[in-house]
Amino acid sequence: GQNIDQPTEMTATEGAIVQINCTYQTSGFNGLFWYQQHAGEAPTFLSYNVLDGLEEKGRFSSFLSRSKGYSYLLLKELQMKDSASYLCAVKNQAGTALIFGKGTTLSVSS
Amino acid sequence: DSGVTQTPKHLITATGQRVTLRCSPRSGDLSVYWYQQSLDQGLQFLIHYYNGEERAKGNILERFSAQQFPDLHSELNLSSLELGDSALYFCASSVGAGVDQPQHFGDGTRLSIL
């Protein structure tokens, strides 16, 4: 089976840095994705990691350690518009479908 | 705008009824995925089609079925609806079926069962 854990909620202030952790246990691993979802809207793709290490994309970075079954999403220079749910997802064993965690709701305040 | 189009945006119906949700993938995408999102379960994978053929099934109930047509649009049919089927239904598409390809989501159909 597959299990993905993320904190339910996090809070931060504008301009700060926040790290959202994700741990996973899967039978087979085909990559890890991070998505952002504003309330009532579609999830939007943020990043993809399949090899260990850090991937940087502007204000957002994502890290993966396959041996530890661990990933994090790092958000820098937080803005109010970053208030959203952040979803960690791994590809299923067949490599087709995404298995999502329940998401971390981030609230950014001024 | 992801380029994935879902209709209708909202659907209100009664228990026991049947509904059809429609999805048009991004231009050039051959894969279509359906997901259900409820407050307590999060995003759950239902089914995947690639170029007209079913490729993978997730937690899809027997009352639910889907298909992908030659023009690559897809429909999700939900029948004998129950109160617990109330949820947001998302369609996503990707270019192919490769493991590294991100899926791009439509805006979803909000289904309310009364």
Side-chain angles (χ1 to χ4, degrees), chain A residues 37-60:
Chain A
Q37 186 179 25
H38 287 97
E41 297 183 9
T44 54
F45 169 71
L46 291 177
S47 69
Y48 169 68
N49 295 71
V50 66
L51 299 176
D52 290 353
L54 188 69
E55 295 278 344
E56 297 188 72
K57 260 192 194 181
R59 294 190 299 116
F60 293 6

Side-chain angles (χ1 to χ4, degrees), chain A residues 16-38:
Chain A
I17 299 173
V18 71
Q19 178 175 311
I20 302 174
N21 295 324
C22 170
T23 57
Y24 63 89
Q25 290 132 19
T26 57
S27 47
F29 179 76
N30 285 305
L32 188 142
F33 293 78
W34 284 95
Y35 281 79
Q36 179 192 60
Q37 186 179 25
H38 287 97

Side-chain angles (χ1 to χ4, degrees), chain A residues 47-88:
Chain A
S47 69
Y48 169 68
N49 295 71
V50 66
L51 299 176
D52 290 353
L54 188 69
E55 295 278 344
E56 297 188 72
K57 260 192 194 181
R59 294 190 299 116
F60 293 6
S61 304
S62 56
F63 172 83
L64 176 68
S65 168
R66 289 173 296 169
S67 62
K68 295 182 179 177
Y70 168 69
S71 174
Y72 67 73
L73 180 69
L74 193 71
L75 292 76
K76 301 176 189 174
E77 300 169 14
L78 280 172
Q79 303 173 9
M80 298 291 284
K81 68 177 182 180
D82 297 328
S83 294
S85 182
Y86 291 85
L87 307 171
C88 173

Side-chain angles (χ1 to χ4, degrees), chain B residues 38-113:
Chain B
S38 57
L39 280 173
D40 55 341
Q41 291 294 321
L43 262 171
Q44 299 276 310
F45 166 67
L46 295 178
I47 197 162
H48 169 213
Y49 278 85
Y50 173 74
N51 203 21
E53 293 190 2
E54 182 186 302
R55 291 294 293 266
K57 264 187 175 179
N59 300 319
I60 188 166
L61 300 172
E62 284 192 14
R63 300 184 285 110
F64 295 1
S65 65
Q67 56 186 127
Q68 186 179 27
F69 295 87
D71 67 352
L72 301 176
H73 92 270
S74 177
E75 293 181 355
L76 179 68
N77 301 296
L78 315 177
S79 61
S80 303
L81 286 167
E82 301 175 0
L83 293 177
D85 297 328
S86 294
L88 253 177
Y89 290 84
F90 286 105
C91 166
S93 72
S94 64
V95 172
V99 297
D100 61 339
Q101 293 176 6
Q103 296 175 18
H104 300 274
F105 285 74
D107 289 336
T109 294
R110 183 173 294 280
L111 177 63
S112 299
I113 312 299

